[in-house]
Coordinates of all heavy atoms in Angstrom, one line a residue:
M1 N 48.9 -6.7 59.2 CA 49.9 -6.8 58.2 C 51.3 -6.7 58.9 O 52.0 -7.7 58.9 CB 49.7 -5.7 57.2 CG 50.9 -5.3 56.3 SD 51.6 -6.4 55.1 CE 50.3 -7.4 54.5
A2 N 51.6 -5.6 59.5 CA 52.9 -5.4 60.2 C 52.7 -4.2 61.2 O 51.8 -3.5 61.1 CB 54.0 -5.1 59.2
D3 N 53.7 -4.1 62.1 CA 53.8 -3.0 63.0 C 55.1 -2.4 62.8 O 56.1 -3.1 62.5 CB 53.6 -3.5 64.4 CG 53.4 -2.4 65.4 OD1 54.4 -1.9 65.9 OD2 52.3 -2.0 65.7
L4 N 55.2 -1.1 63.0 CA 56.5 -0.4 62.9 C 57.6 -1.0 63.8 O 58.7 -1.0 63.4 CB 56.3 1.1 63.2 CG 55.5 1.9 62.1 CD1 55.4 3.4 62.6 CD2 56.2 1.8 60.7
S5 N 57.2 -1.5 64.9 CA 58.1 -2.1 65.8 C 58.8 -3.4 65.2 O 59.9 -3.8 65.7 CB 57.5 -2.5 67.2 OG 56.5 -3.4 67.0
D6 N 58.1 -4.0 64.2 CA 58.7 -5.2 63.6 C 60.0 -4.8 62.9 O 60.8 -5.7 62.6 CB 57.7 -5.8 62.6 CG 56.5 -6.3 63.2 OD1 56.5 -6.6 64.5 OD2 55.4 -6.4 62.5
F7 N 60.2 -3.6 62.6 CA 61.4 -3.1 61.8 C 62.6 -2.8 62.8 O 63.6 -2.4 62.4 CB 61.1 -1.9 61.0 CG 60.2 -2.1 59.8 CD1 58.9 -1.8 59.9 CD2 60.7 -2.6 58.7 CE1 58.0 -2.0 58.9 CE2 59.9 -2.8 57.6 CZ 58.5 -2.5 57.7
A8 N 62.4 -3.0 64.1 CA 63.4 -2.6 65.1 C 64.8 -3.3 64.8 O 65.8 -2.6 65.0 CB 62.9 -3.0 66.5
D9 N 64.8 -4.5 64.4 CA 66.1 -5.2 64.2 C 66.5 -5.4 62.8 O 67.6 -5.9 62.5 CB 66.0 -6.6 64.8 CG 65.8 -6.6 66.3 OD1 66.2 -5.6 67.0 OD2 65.2 -7.5 66.9
R10 N 65.6 -4.9 61.8 CA 66.0 -5.1 60.4 C 65.1 -4.2 59.6 O 64.0 -3.8 59.9 CB 65.7 -6.6 60.0 CG 64.3 -7.0 60.2 CD 64.1 -8.5 60.0 NE 62.7 -8.8 60.3 CZ 62.4 -9.7 61.2 NH1 63.3 -10.4 61.8 NH2 61.1 -9.9 61.5
P11 N 65.7 -3.7 58.4 CA 64.9 -2.8 57.6 C 64.0 -3.4 56.6 O 63.3 -2.7 55.9 CB 66.1 -2.0 56.9 CG 67.2 -3.1 56.8 CD 67.1 -3.9 58.0
V12 N 64.0 -4.8 56.4 CA 63.2 -5.5 55.5 C 62.4 -6.6 56.1 O 63.0 -7.4 56.9 CB 64.0 -6.1 54.3 CG1 63.1 -6.6 53.2 CG2 65.0 -5.1 53.7
L13 N 61.1 -6.7 55.8 CA 60.3 -7.8 56.4 C 59.6 -8.6 55.2 O 59.3 -8.0 54.2 CB 59.2 -7.2 57.2 CG 59.6 -6.3 58.4 CD1 58.3 -5.7 59.0 CD2 60.3 -7.1 59.4
A14 N 59.4 -9.8 55.4 CA 58.6 -10.7 54.5 C 57.2 -10.8 55.1 O 57.1 -11.1 56.2 CB 59.3 -12.0 54.3
R15 N 56.2 -10.5 54.3 CA 54.8 -10.5 54.7 C 54.0 -11.0 53.5 O 54.5 -11.0 52.4 CB 54.3 -9.2 55.2 CG 55.0 -8.7 56.5 CD 54.5 -9.5 57.7 NE 54.9 -9.0 58.9 CZ 56.0 -9.3 59.6 NH1 56.9 -10.1 59.0 NH2 56.3 -8.8 60.8
A16 N 52.7 -11.3 53.8 CA 51.8 -11.6 52.7 C 50.5 -10.9 53.0 O 50.1 -10.7 54.1 CB 51.6 -13.1 52.6
A17 N 49.8 -10.5 51.9 CA 48.5 -9.9 52.1 C 47.6 -10.2 50.8 O 48.1 -10.1 49.7 CB 48.6 -8.3 52.2
G18 N 46.4 -10.7 51.0 CA 45.6 -11.0 49.9 C 46.2 -12.0 49.0 O 45.9 -12.0 47.8
G19 N 47.0 -13.0 49.5 CA 47.6 -14.0 48.7 C 48.8 -13.5 47.9 O 49.4 -14.2 47.1
V20 N 49.3 -12.3 48.2 CA 50.5 -11.7 47.5 C 51.6 -11.7 48.5 O 51.5 -11.1 49.6 CB 50.2 -10.2 47.0 CG1 51.4 -9.6 46.4 CG2 49.0 -10.2 46.0
A21 N 52.8 -12.3 48.1 CA 54.0 -12.2 48.9 C 54.6 -10.9 48.7 O 54.8 -10.4 47.6 CB 54.9 -13.4 48.5
L22 N 55.0 -10.3 49.8 CA 55.5 -8.9 49.8 C 56.8 -8.8 50.6 O 57.1 -9.6 51.5 CB 54.5 -8.0 50.5 CG 53.1 -7.9 50.0 CD1 52.2 -7.2 50.9 CD2 53.2 -7.1 48.6
A23 N 57.6 -7.8 50.2 CA 58.8 -7.3 51.0 C 58.4 -5.9 51.4 O 58.0 -5.1 50.6 CB 60.0 -7.3 50.2
L24 N 58.5 -5.7 52.8 CA 58.2 -4.3 53.3 C 59.6 -3.7 53.8 O 60.4 -4.4 54.3 CB 57.3 -4.4 54.5 CG 55.9 -5.0 54.3 CD1 55.2 -5.0 55.6 CD2 55.2 -4.3 53.2
Y25 N 59.7 -2.5 53.5 CA 61.0 -1.8 53.8 C 60.7 -0.5 54.6 O 59.8 0.2 54.3 CB 61.7 -1.3 52.5 CG 61.8 -2.3 51.4 CD1 60.7 -2.5 50.5 CD2 62.9 -3.1 51.3 CE1 60.8 -3.5 49.5 CE2 63.0 -4.1 50.3 CZ 61.9 -4.3 49.4 OH 62.0 -5.2 48.4
R26 N 61.6 -0.3 55.6 CA 61.5 1.0 56.4 C 62.7 1.7 55.9 O 63.9 1.3 56.2 CB 61.5 0.7 57.9 CG 61.4 2.0 58.7 CD 60.1 2.1 59.3 NE 59.8 3.4 59.9 CZ 59.7 3.6 61.2 NH1 59.8 2.6 62.0 NH2 59.5 4.8 61.6
L27 N 62.5 2.9 55.3 CA 63.6 3.7 54.7 C 63.3 5.1 54.9 O 62.3 5.7 54.5 CB 63.6 3.4 53.2 CG 64.7 4.0 52.3 CD1 66.0 3.6 52.8 CD2 64.4 3.7 50.9
D28 N 64.2 5.8 55.6 CA 64.1 7.2 55.9 C 62.8 7.6 56.5 O 62.2 8.6 56.1 CB 64.4 8.0 54.6 CG 65.8 7.8 54.1 OD1 66.7 7.6 54.9 OD2 66.0 7.9 52.8
G29 N 62.3 6.8 57.4 CA 61.0 7.1 58.1 C 59.8 6.7 57.3 O 58.7 6.7 57.9
A30 N 59.9 6.3 56.1 CA 58.7 5.8 55.3 C 58.7 4.3 55.1 O 59.8 3.7 55.3 CB 58.8 6.5 53.9
V31 N 57.6 3.8 54.9 CA 57.5 2.3 54.6 C 57.1 2.1 53.2 O 56.2 2.8 52.7 CB 56.4 1.7 55.6 CG1 56.3 0.2 55.3 CG2 56.8 1.9 57.0
H32 N 57.7 1.2 52.5 CA 57.5 0.9 51.1 C 57.2 -0.6 51.0 O 57.7 -1.4 51.8 CB 58.7 1.2 50.2 CG 59.1 2.6 50.3 ND1 58.6 3.6 49.6 CD2 60.0 3.2 51.1 CE1 59.1 4.8 49.9 NE2 60.0 4.5 50.8
A33 N 56.5 -1.0 49.9 CA 56.2 -2.4 49.7 C 56.4 -2.8 48.2 O 56.0 -2.0 47.3 CB 54.8 -2.8 50.1
T34 N 57.1 -3.9 48.0 CA 57.3 -4.4 46.7 C 57.0 -5.9 46.7 O 56.8 -6.5 47.7 CB 58.8 -4.3 46.2 OG1 59.6 -5.2 46.9 CG2 59.3 -2.9 46.3
Q35 N 56.9 -6.5 45.5 CA 56.8 -7.9 45.4 C 57.9 -8.5 46.2 O 59.0 -7.9 46.3 CB 56.8 -8.4 44.0 CG 58.1 -8.3 43.3 CD 58.0 -8.6 41.8 OE1 57.3 -7.9 41.1 NE2 58.6 -9.7 41.4
A36 N 57.8 -9.8 46.7 CA 58.8 -10.4 47.6 C 60.0 -10.9 46.9 O 61.1 -11.0 47.4 CB 58.1 -11.5 48.4
L37 N 59.8 -11.4 45.6 CA 60.8 -12.1 44.9 C 61.5 -11.3 43.8 O 60.9 -10.5 43.1 CB 60.3 -13.4 44.3 CG 59.6 -14.4 45.3 CD1 59.1 -15.6 44.5 CD2 60.6 -14.8 46.4
C38 N 62.8 -11.5 43.7 CA 63.6 -10.8 42.7 C 63.1 -11.3 41.3 O 62.8 -12.4 41.1 CB 65.1 -11.3 42.9 SG 66.2 -10.7 41.5
T39 N 63.0 -10.3 40.4 CA 62.5 -10.6 39.1 C 63.5 -11.4 38.2 O 63.1 -12.0 37.2 CB 62.1 -9.3 38.3 OG1 63.3 -8.5 38.2 CG2 61.0 -8.6 39.0
H40 N 64.7 -11.5 38.7 CA 65.8 -12.2 37.9 C 65.9 -13.6 38.5 O 65.9 -14.6 37.7 CB 67.1 -11.5 38.0 CG 68.3 -12.2 37.5 ND1 69.2 -12.8 38.4 CD2 68.6 -12.6 36.3 CE1 70.1 -13.4 37.6 NE2 69.8 -13.3 36.4
A41 N 66.1 -13.8 39.8 CA 66.4 -15.1 40.3 C 65.3 -15.7 41.2 O 65.5 -16.8 41.6 CB 67.7 -14.9 41.2
G42 N 64.2 -15.0 41.4 CA 63.1 -15.6 42.2 C 63.5 -15.8 43.7 O 62.9 -16.6 44.4
V43 N 64.5 -15.0 44.2 CA 65.0 -15.2 45.5 C 64.3 -14.1 46.4 O 64.0 -13.0 45.9 CB 66.5 -14.9 45.6 CG1 67.1 -14.9 47.0 CG2 67.2 -16.0 44.7
S44 N 64.0 -14.4 47.7 CA 63.4 -13.5 48.6 C 64.2 -12.3 48.8 O 65.4 -12.4 49.3 CB 63.1 -14.2 49.9 OG 62.6 -13.3 50.8
L45 N 63.7 -11.1 48.5 CA 64.4 -9.9 48.7 C 64.4 -9.5 50.2 O 65.3 -8.7 50.6 CB 63.7 -8.8 47.9 CG 63.8 -8.9 46.4 CD1 63.0 -7.9 45.7 CD2 65.3 -8.9 46.0
A46 N 63.6 -10.1 51.0 CA 63.7 -9.9 52.5 C 65.0 -10.4 53.1 O 65.4 -10.0 54.2 CB 62.5 -10.6 53.2
D47 N 65.7 -11.3 52.3 CA 67.0 -11.8 52.7 C 68.1 -10.9 52.2 O 69.3 -11.2 52.4 CB 67.2 -13.2 52.3 CG 66.2 -14.2 52.9 OD1 65.8 -13.9 54.1 OD2 65.8 -15.1 52.3
G48 N 67.8 -9.9 51.4 CA 68.7 -9.0 50.8 C 69.2 -7.9 51.8 O 68.7 -7.8 52.9
E49 N 70.1 -7.0 51.3 CA 70.6 -5.9 52.1 C 70.2 -4.6 51.5 O 70.2 -4.4 50.3 CB 72.1 -6.0 52.1 CG 72.8 -5.0 53.0 CD 74.3 -5.2 53.1 OE1 74.7 -6.4 52.9 OE2 75.0 -4.2 53.4
V50 N 69.8 -3.7 52.4 CA 69.4 -2.3 52.0 C 70.7 -1.5 51.9 O 71.5 -1.5 52.8 CB 68.4 -1.7 53.0 CG1 68.2 -0.2 52.6 CG2 67.1 -2.5 53.0
V51 N 70.9 -0.9 50.7 CA 72.1 -0.1 50.4 C 71.7 1.2 49.8 O 71.2 1.2 48.6 CB 73.0 -0.9 49.4 CG1 74.3 -0.1 49.1 CG2 73.4 -2.3 50.0
E52 N 71.7 2.3 50.6 CA 71.5 3.6 50.1 C 70.2 3.7 49.2 O 70.2 4.3 48.1 CB 72.7 4.1 49.3 CG 73.9 4.2 50.1 CD 75.1 4.7 49.4 OE1 75.0 5.2 48.2 OE2 76.2 4.7 50.0
G53 N 69.1 3.2 49.7 CA 67.8 3.4 49.0 C 67.5 2.2 48.1 O 66.5 2.3 47.4
Y54 N 68.4 1.2 48.0 CA 68.2 0.1 47.1 C 68.1 -1.2 47.9 O 68.7 -1.3 49.0 CB 69.3 0.0 46.1 CG 69.4 1.2 45.2 CD1 70.1 2.3 45.5 CD2 68.7 1.2 44.0 CE1 70.2 3.4 44.7 CE2 68.8 2.3 43.1 CZ 69.5 3.4 43.5 OH 69.5 4.5 42.7
I55 N 67.4 -2.2 47.4 CA 67.5 -3.5 47.9 C 68.4 -4.3 47.0 O 68.3 -4.3 45.8 CB 66.1 -4.2 48.1 CG1 66.3 -5.6 48.8 CG2 65.4 -4.3 46.8 CD1 66.7 -5.6 50.2
E56 N 69.4 -5.0 47.6 CA 70.3 -5.8 46.9 C 69.9 -7.3 47.0 O 69.8 -7.8 48.1 CB 71.7 -5.6 47.4 CG 72.8 -6.4 46.7 CD 74.2 -6.2 47.3 OE1 74.4 -6.6 48.4 OE2 75.0 -5.5 46.6
C57 N 69.6 -7.9 45.8 CA 69.2 -9.3 45.8 C 70.4 -10.2 46.3 O 71.5 -10.0 45.9 CB 68.9 -9.7 44.4 SG 68.5 -11.5 44.3
P58 N 70.1 -11.1 47.3 CA 71.2 -11.9 47.8 C 71.7 -12.9 46.9 O 72.8 -13.5 47.1 CB 70.5 -12.6 49.0 CG 69.1 -12.6 48.7 CD 68.8 -11.4 47.9
A59 N 71.1 -13.2 45.8 CA 71.6 -14.2 44.8 C 72.7 -13.7 43.9 O 73.7 -14.3 43.8 CB 70.4 -14.8 44.0
H60 N 72.4 -12.7 43.2 CA 73.3 -12.2 42.2 C 73.7 -10.7 42.3 O 74.2 -10.1 41.4 CB 72.8 -12.4 40.8 CG 72.6 -13.9 40.5 ND1 71.4 -14.4 40.3 CD2 73.5 -14.9 40.3 CE1 71.5 -15.7 40.1 NE2 72.8 -16.0 40.1
Y61 N 73.2 -10.1 43.5 CA 73.6 -8.7 43.8 C 73.0 -7.7 42.9 O 73.5 -6.6 42.9 CB 75.1 -8.6 44.0 CG 75.7 -9.6 44.9 CD1 76.5 -10.7 44.3 CD2 75.4 -9.7 46.2 CE1 77.0 -11.7 45.1 CE2 75.9 -10.7 47.0 CZ 76.7 -11.7 46.5 OH 77.1 -12.7 47.3
G62 N 71.9 -8.0 42.2 CA 71.2 -7.0 41.4 C 70.5 -6.0 42.4 O 70.2 -6.4 43.5
L63 N 70.4 -4.8 41.9 CA 69.8 -3.7 42.7 C 68.4 -3.3 42.2 O 68.3 -3.1 41.0 CB 70.7 -2.5 42.8 CG 72.1 -2.7 43.5 CD1 72.9 -1.5 43.3 CD2 71.9 -3.0 44.9
F64 N 67.5 -3.0 43.1 CA 66.2 -2.4 42.8 C 66.0 -1.2 43.7 O 66.3 -1.2 44.9 CB 65.1 -3.4 43.1 CG 65.1 -4.6 42.3 CD1 65.7 -5.8 42.8 CD2 64.5 -4.7 41.1 CE1 65.8 -7.0 42.1 CE2 64.5 -5.9 40.3 CZ 65.2 -7.0 40.8
E65 N 65.6 -0.1 43.1 CA 65.3 1.1 43.9 C 64.0 0.8 44.7 O 63.0 0.4 44.2 CB 65.0 2.3 43.0 CG 64.8 3.6 43.7 CD 64.7 4.7 42.8 OE1 64.3 4.6 41.6 OE2 64.9 5.9 43.2
I66 N 64.1 0.9 46.0 CA 63.0 0.5 46.9 C 61.8 1.4 46.7 O 60.7 0.8 46.6 CB 63.5 0.6 48.4 CG1 64.5 -0.5 48.7 CG2 62.3 0.5 49.3 CD1 65.2 -0.4 50.0
A67 N 61.9 2.7 46.5 CA 60.7 3.5 46.4 C 59.9 3.3 45.1 O 58.7 3.4 45.1 CB 61.1 5.0 46.5
T68 N 60.6 2.9 44.1 CA 59.9 2.8 42.8 C 59.9 1.4 42.2 O 59.1 1.1 41.3 CB 60.6 3.6 41.7 OG1 61.9 3.1 41.5 CG2 60.7 5.1 42.1
G69 N 60.7 0.5 42.8 CA 60.8 -0.9 42.3 C 61.7 -1.0 41.0 O 61.9 -2.1 40.5
R70 N 62.3 0.1 40.6 CA 63.0 0.1 39.3 C 64.3 -0.7 39.4 O 65.1 -0.5 40.3 CB 63.3 1.6 39.0 CG 63.8 1.8 37.5 CD 63.8 3.2 37.2 NE 62.5 3.8 37.3 CZ 62.3 5.0 37.8 NH1 63.3 5.8 38.2 NH2 61.1 5.5 37.9
A71 N 64.5 -1.6 38.4 CA 65.7 -2.4 38.3 C 66.9 -1.4 37.9 O 66.7 -0.5 37.1 CB 65.5 -3.4 37.2
Q72 N 68.0 -1.7 38.5 CA 69.2 -0.8 38.3 C 70.3 -1.5 37.7 O 71.4 -1.5 38.3 CB 69.6 -0.2 39.7 CG 68.5 0.7 40.3 CD 68.2 1.9 39.4 OE1 69.0 2.7 39.0 NE2 66.9 2.1 39.2
G73 N 70.2 -2.1 36.5 CA 71.2 -2.7 35.8 C 71.4 -4.2 36.1 O 70.8 -4.7 37.0
G74 N 72.2 -4.8 35.2 CA 72.5 -6.2 35.3 C 72.9 -6.8 36.6 O 73.5 -6.1 37.4
P75 N 72.5 -8.0 36.9 CA 71.7 -8.9 36.1 C 70.2 -8.7 36.1 O 69.5 -9.3 35.3 CB 72.0 -10.3 36.6 CG 72.2 -10.0 38.1 CD 72.8 -8.6 38.2
V76 N 69.7 -7.7 36.9 CA 68.2 -7.5 36.9 C 67.8 -6.5 35.8 O 68.5 -5.6 35.5 CB 67.8 -7.0 38.3 CG1 68.1 -8.0 39.3 CG2 68.4 -5.7 38.6
C77 N 66.7 -6.9 35.1 CA 66.3 -6.0 34.0 C 64.8 -5.7 34.1 O 64.3 -4.8 33.4 CB 66.7 -6.6 32.7 SG 66.1 -8.2 32.3
R78 N 64.0 -6.4 34.9 CA 62.6 -6.2 35.1 C 62.3 -5.6 36.4 O 62.8 -6.0 37.4 CB 61.8 -7.5 34.9 CG 61.7 -8.0 33.5 CD 60.7 -9.1 33.3 NE 60.3 -9.7 34.5 CZ 60.5 -11.0 34.9 NH1 61.1 -11.8 34.1 NH2 60.0 -11.5 36.0
D79 N 61.5 -4.5 36.4 CA 61.2 -3.8 37.7 C 60.4 -4.7 38.6 O 59.7 -5.6 38.1 CB 60.4 -2.5 37.3 CG 61.2 -1.5 36.5 OD1 62.4 -1.6 36.5 OD2 60.6 -0.6 36.0
L80 N 60.4 -4.3 39.9 CA 59.5 -5.0 40.8 C 58.1 -4.3 40.8 O 58.0 -3.1 40.6 CB 60.1 -4.8 42.3 CG 61.4 -5.4 42.6 CD1 61.9 -5.0 43.9 CD2 61.3 -7.0 42.5
A81 N 57.1 -5.1 41.1 CA 55.8 -4.5 41.4 C 55.9 -3.8 42.7 O 56.5 -4.3 43.7 CB 54.7 -5.6 41.4
T82 N 55.2 -2.6 42.8 CA 55.2 -1.9 44.1 C 53.7 -1.8 44.5 O 52.8 -1.9 43.6 CB 55.8 -0.5 44.0 OG1 55.1 0.2 42.9 CG2 57.3 -0.6 43.6
Y83 N 53.5 -1.5 45.8 CA 52.1 -1.5 46.3 C 52.0 -0.3 47.3 O 52.9 0.0 48.0 CB 51.8 -2.8 47.1 CG 51.9 -4.0 46.2 CD1 53.1 -4.7 46.1 CD2 50.8 -4.5 45.5 CE1 53.3 -5.8 45.3 CE2 51.0 -5.6 44.7 CZ 52.2 -6.2 44.6 OH 52.3 -7.3 43.8
P84 N 50.8 0.4 47.2 CA 50.6 1.5 48.1 C 50.6 1.0 49.6 O 50.1 0.0 49.9 CB 49.2 2.0 47.8 CG 48.9 1.4 46.5 CD 49.7 0.1 46.4
V85 N 51.2 1.9 50.4 CA 51.3 1.6 51.9 C 50.7 2.7 52.7 O 50.9 3.9 52.3 CB 52.8 1.4 52.3 CG1 52.9 1.3 53.8 CG2 53.5 0.3 51.6
R86 N 50.0 2.4 53.7 CA 49.6 3.5 54.7 C 49.9 3.0 56.1 O 49.9 1.8 56.4 CB 48.1 3.8 54.5 CG 47.1 2.9 55.1 CD 45.7 3.3 55.0 NE 44.8 2.4 55.7 CZ 44.3 1.3 55.2 NH1 44.6 0.9 54.0 NH2 43.6 0.5 55.9
V87 N 50.3 4.0 56.9 CA 50.6 3.7 58.3 C 49.6 4.4 59.1 O 49.3 5.6 59.0 CB 52.0 4.2 58.6 CG1 52.3 4.0 60.1 CG2 53.1 3.5 57.7
E88 N 48.9 3.7 60.0 CA 47.9 4.2 60.9 C 48.4 3.9 62.3 O 48.5 2.8 62.8 CB 46.6 3.5 60.7 CG 46.0 3.8 59.4 CD 44.7 3.1 59.1 OE1 44.2 2.3 60.0 OE2 44.0 3.3 58.1
G89 N 48.9 5.0 63.0 CA 49.5 4.8 64.3 C 50.8 4.1 64.1 O 51.7 4.6 63.4
T90 N 50.9 2.9 64.6 CA 52.1 2.0 64.3 C 51.8 0.9 63.4 O 52.7 0.1 63.1 CB 52.7 1.5 65.7 OG1 51.7 0.6 66.3 CG2 53.1 2.6 66.6
E91 N 50.5 0.8 63.0 CA 50.1 -0.3 62.1 C 50.4 0.0 60.6 O 50.1 1.1 60.2 CB 48.7 -0.7 62.2 CG 48.3 -1.2 63.6 CD 46.8 -1.5 63.7 OE1 46.0 -0.9 63.0 OE2 46.5 -2.4 64.5
V92 N 51.0 -1.0 59.9 CA 51.4 -0.8 58.5 C 50.4 -1.7 57.7 O 50.2 -2.9 57.9 CB 52.8 -1.3 58.2 CG1 53.1 -1.2 56.7 CG2 53.8 -0.5 59.1
W93 N 49.8 -1.0 56.7 CA 48.8 -1.7 55.8 C 49.2 -1.5 54.4 O 49.7 -0.5 54.0 CB 47.4 -1.1 56.0 CG 46.9 -1.3 57.4 CD1 47.0 -0.4 58.4 CD2 46.3 -2.5 57.9 NE1 46.4 -0.9 59.5 CE2 46.0 -2.2 59.3 CE3 46.0 -3.7 57.4 CZ2 45.4 -3.2 60.1 CZ3 45.4 -4.6 58.2 CH2 45.1 -4.4 59.5
V94 N 49.1 -2.6 53.6 CA 49.5 -2.6 52.2 C 48.2 -2.9 51.3 O 47.5 -3.8 51.6 CB 50.6 -3.6 51.9 CG1 51.0 -3.6 50.4 CG2 51.8 -3.3 52.7
E95 N 48.0 -2.1 50.3 CA 46.9 -2.3 49.4 C 47.3 -3.2 48.2 O 48.2 -2.8 47.5 CB 46.4 -1.0 48.9 CG 45.2 -1.1 48.0 CD 44.7 0.3 47.5 OE1 44.9 1.3 48.3 OE2 44.2 0.3 46.4
V96 N 46.7 -4.4 48.2 CA 47.0 -5.3 47.1 C 45.7 -5.5 46.3 O 44.6 -5.5 46.9 CB 47.6 -6.6 47.5 CG1 49.0 -6.4 48.1 CG2 46.7 -7.3 48.5
A97 N 45.7 -5.6 45.0 CA 44.5 -5.9 44.2 C 44.0 -7.3 44.6 O 44.8 -8.2 44.8 CB 44.9 -5.8 42.7
P98 N 42.7 -7.5 44.6 CA 42.2 -8.8 44.9 C 42.5 -9.8 43.8 O 42.7 -9.4 42.6 CB 40.7 -8.6 45.0 CG 40.4 -7.2 44.5 CD 41.7 -6.5 44.4
E99 N 42.7 -11.0 44.2 CA 43.1 -12.1 43.2 C 41.9 -12.3 42.3 O 40.7 -12.2 42.7 CB 43.4 -13.4 43.9 CG 44.7 -13.3 44.6 CD 45.1 -14.7 45.1 OE1 44.9 -15.7 44.4 OE2 45.7 -14.8 46.2
R100 N 42.1 -12.5 41.0 CA 41.1 -12.8 40.0 C 41.0 -14.2 39.7 O 42.0 -14.9 39.6 CB 41.3 -12.0 38.7 CG 41.3 -10.5 39.0 CD 41.5 -9.7 37.7 NE 41.5 -8.3 38.0 CZ 41.5 -7.4 37.2 NH1 41.5 -7.7 35.9 NH2 41.6 -6.1 37.5
S101 N 39.8 -14.7 39.5 CA 39.6 -16.2 39.2 C 39.7 -16.4 37.7 O 39.3 -15.6 36.9 CB 38.3 -16.7 39.7 OG 38.2 -16.4 41.1

């Protein structure tokens, strides 16, 4: 999935697991995972900026709380999906539900 060293130059990474597009964040020593795209504009959050525990969408500057995925006011109004993360040594793993047919 990812390695902690991948965060050396940036706090947000774009990754995919089990067919799910993800944004991974390194924040205060913890790693978090949300859906990759903004719920408002469909823009990649991996291109956004981390600001005091929030990811700022690069399209319309909407904010989402990284730890919870909670939308923080206009123009965003729908929360992000979040996913459980575990770190084993330096390896980062995200648990995503299997796709249903």
